[in-house]
Amino acid sequence: MGPFGSNIKVDNFIDFGVPVLNGSNLQGFKLNEESFNYVSQEKADSLGKANAHRGDIVITHRGTLGQIVYIPENSKFEQYVISQSQFRLKLNQSLIRPDFFVYFFHTRLGQHRILMNASQVGVPALARPTSTFKKVSVPVPPIEIQNKVMAILNSIDDKIAVNRRICENLEAQAQALFKHWFIDFAPFLDKPSGKAERKNGQFVESELGMIPEGWRVGRLDELGDIVGGATPSKAEDSYYTSKGIAWLTPKDLSNKLSKFTSRGEIDLTQEGYNSCSAKLMPKGSVLFSSRAPIGYLTIAKNDICTNQGFKSVVPKYAGTAYIYYLLKTNTKRIESMSSGTTFKEASGSLMKSLAVIIPPKSIIDNYEASVVEIFKEQEVIEDESTRLSTLRDTLLPKLMSGQIKV
């Protein structure tokens, strides 16, 4: 089991050392190493069995249940501290591969076996997690069969990982161009001095700092229509369906790595849509979560509506790309201006009146034209990864059960 919460406090964290795992590291099949908190080597060693190493399995037993990953042999670190909401196990690798073990628990049957001792009273938790998990039945085919199964599944996941890296590279290009044009104002600087100086008449002062002459500070709702969302009554089952009007909640974006979104986990029926104030927005709308948390950001792939946790922007004066990166670069500012007792929320009035820099439309249009092919390529690649994920998830239970021979 992980350490008691009192054994790791915020003041134990340092800039670099032994990484401490949290829920975000347990997304997917293998350890996600994008971000960590760290403790000293001395602190980590003092926590004994709460340390995990390459080849170990880490499982969430409280909070977001069903999370299970393995630490690969090529992980960034040799040692990790698990959190108080996790437990770890070490396998007999002469009998079963860590990746095969974890992939089994990502099938419907495997998830059922993890969650069959879950309690939903208060914070979701597994009852007596380490003792009950020892009794869970796991298929253990011969190692040579496991090797063949994982060769198939790993090849799919490797392609998805390559696609993700390509999309990240394209994203960096589009975002760098936005910064170059609209934050650094590089194309509009006085060439001889390379500085935004008022004396040459090229730049003028504004409430948001120096901006190019001919540009202005305006409101976000001048760039697009600000649209809130709504939730039909949860008491009416007839309001919800698996295939109907696309509807999104912030929860649908919590584990999402892609830039574009077609729908959430559940759709609305026409009756459900008509029962509330949710508004259908067109493809290209920029969906921005305005509470719990503030700052999830995605682009609509088709007509879609949202719950009340969004304040979305339907492009009008500016295009999708400009609005997307404008919101991305202003998220912290929006959050600092938000208010609320239980949790912070960016209100509709805040979003509408948000002061933003508004360049001439011709410049915004030129930026949109410069990144349109990047956005198209990202969308195509994300669609391919979605198809590959569906293929993997379809093959997974059949390979694990032996229904498909390898």
Side-chain angles (χ1 to χ4, degrees):
M1 293 287 287
F4 287 108
S6 58
N7 285 341
I8 299 182
K9 299 177 181 178
V10 174
D11 55 12
N12 292 134
F13 293 147
I14 57 178
D15 291 339
F16 193 78
V18 179
V20 179
L21 305 185
N22 58 46
S24 68
N25 302 121
L26 270 62
Q27 297 172 2
F29 297 88
K30 64 181 178 181
L31 189 68
N32 180 343
E33 303 196 79
E34 290 184 3
S35 64
F36 292 115
N37 289 314
Y38 300 92
V39 294
S40 68
Q41 185 68 57
E42 181 183 11
K43 181 64 179 177
D45 291 343
S46 74
L47 297 173
K49 291 183 179 181
N51 284 270
H53 301 83
R54 290 168 180 163
D56 286 356
I57 312 298
V58 183
I59 305 169
T60 298
H61 67 78
R62 184 180 63 181
T64 307
L65 301 183
Q67 291 183 315
I68 175 170
V69 301
Y70 68 97
I71 302 175
E73 293 302 323
N74 63 347
S75 63
K76 291 181 182 179
F77 299 86
E78 294 183 359
Q79 180 182 1
Y80 302 83
V81 173
I82 62 175
S83 82
Q84 61 179 331
S85 298
Q86 299 163 352
F87 67 97
R88 68 160 185 86
L89 61 94
K90 190 178 296 292
L91 297 172
N92 180 346
Q93 293 192 33
S94 66
L95 293 178
I96 190 164
R97 293 173 51 139
D99 51 0
F100 184 90
F101 181 91
V102 164
Y103 273 66
F104 167 71
F105 284 104
H106 279 266
T107 64
R108 185 185 296 271
L109 175 60
Q111 283 285 293
H112 170 71
R113 290 183 180 174
I114 287 180
L115 300 175
M116 60 186 179
N117 292 304
S119 168
Q120 298 300 324
V121 179
V123 177
L126 302 180
R128 295 174 287 109
T130 53
S131 58
T132 54
F133 197 77
K134 288 177 183 178
K135 300 176 183 178
V136 172
S137 298
V138 182
V140 188
I143 285 290
E144 57 268 23
I145 297 297
Q146 295 181 42
N147 291 342
K148 291 178 180 179
V149 167
M150 292 315 304
I152 295 170
L153 296 174
N154 283 333
S155 67
I156 295 174
D157 277 342
D158 287 347
K159 175 56 178 169
I160 292 173
V162 168
N163 284 354
R164 185 176 300 126
R165 288 194 293 271
I166 293 172
C167 281
E168 287 171 351
N169 181 267
L170 292 169
E171 181 67 6
Q173 293 178 44
Q175 193 163 354
L177 190 61
F178 180 88
K179 181 177 183 295
H180 185 67
W181 283 32
F182 303 115
I183 297 177
D184 299 335
F185 308 122
F188 316 103
L189 290 173
D190 178 47
K191 300 303 185 217
S193 67
K195 296 180 180 179
E197 296 178 351
R198 185 176 182 179
K199 65 181 182 182
N200 62 25
Q202 276 192 296
F203 280 71
V204 295
E205 291 178 357
S206 78
E207 63 181 278
L208 296 179
M210 300 291 284
I211 60 174
E213 192 172 33
W215 297 29
R216 65 187 178 87
V217 172
R219 293 163 50 111
L220 181 61
D221 62 2
E222 294 180 64
L223 301 180
D225 295 323
I226 313 300
V227 179
T231 300
S233 170
K234 292 292 182 70
E236 294 290 340
D237 291 341
S238 62
Y239 288 171
Y240 298 92
T241 181
S242 59
K243 191 172 183 180
I245 297 171
W247 184 67
L248 197 69
T249 73
K251 183 181 177 181
D252 293 317
L253 301 181
S254 60
N255 295 324
K256 188 174 172 59
L257 297 175
S258 52
K259 183 175 187 173
F260 300 88
T261 298
S262 59
R263 60 195 346 102
E265 185 178 352
I266 190 169
D267 287 357
L268 302 183
T269 62
Q270 188 64 54
E271 183 184 7
Y273 176 75
N274 292 341
S275 74
C276 67
S277 59
K279 295 179 181 178
L280 210 54
M281 295 170 286
K283 176 180 179 178
S285 297
V286 182
L287 315 178
F288 181 85
S289 69
S290 54
R291 70 178 192 185
I294 295 171
Y296 285 159
L297 197 60
T298 191
I299 297 170
K301 287 169 59 68
N302 42 250
D303 289 355
I304 195 170
C305 57
T306 71
N307 78 348
Q308 62 273 23
F310 286 86
K311 298 294 183 294
S312 304
V313 185
V314 178
K316 185 172 56 178
Y317 177 87
T320 296
Y322 184 81
I323 292 172
Y324 179 84
Y325 290 116
L326 184 71
L327 288 175
K328 196 168 189 177
T329 55
N330 278 279
T331 296
K332 288 185 178 178
R333 179 170 155 241
I334 292 170
E335 187 171 14
S336 70
M337 298 169 69
S338 301
S339 59
T341 51
T342 306
F343 45 75
K344 279 190 170 185
E345 179 174 8
S347 66
S349 59
L350 166 61
M351 294 297 289
K352 289 177 182 179
S353 62
L354 184 71
V356 294
I357 296 172
I358 303 181
K361 193 169 191 318
S362 60
I363 293 176
I364 293 179
D365 291 345
N366 285 341
Y367 174 74
E368 295 284 336
S370 298
V371 299
V372 64
E373 292 304 320
I374 290 178
F375 274 47
K376 285 180 180 178
E377 188 173 355
Q378 284 179 305
E379 190 169 359
V380 168
I381 293 172
E382 287 186 6
D383 285 345
E384 181 186 41
S385 292
T386 298
R387 290 192 296 271
L388 288 169
S389 296
T390 301
L391 173 62
R392 179 199 61 209
D393 295 345
T394 301
L395 289 174
L396 183 56
K398 296 178 180 179
L399 288 168
M400 290 288 160
S401 66
Q403 186 177 343
I404 295 179
K405 302 298 181 184
V406 293

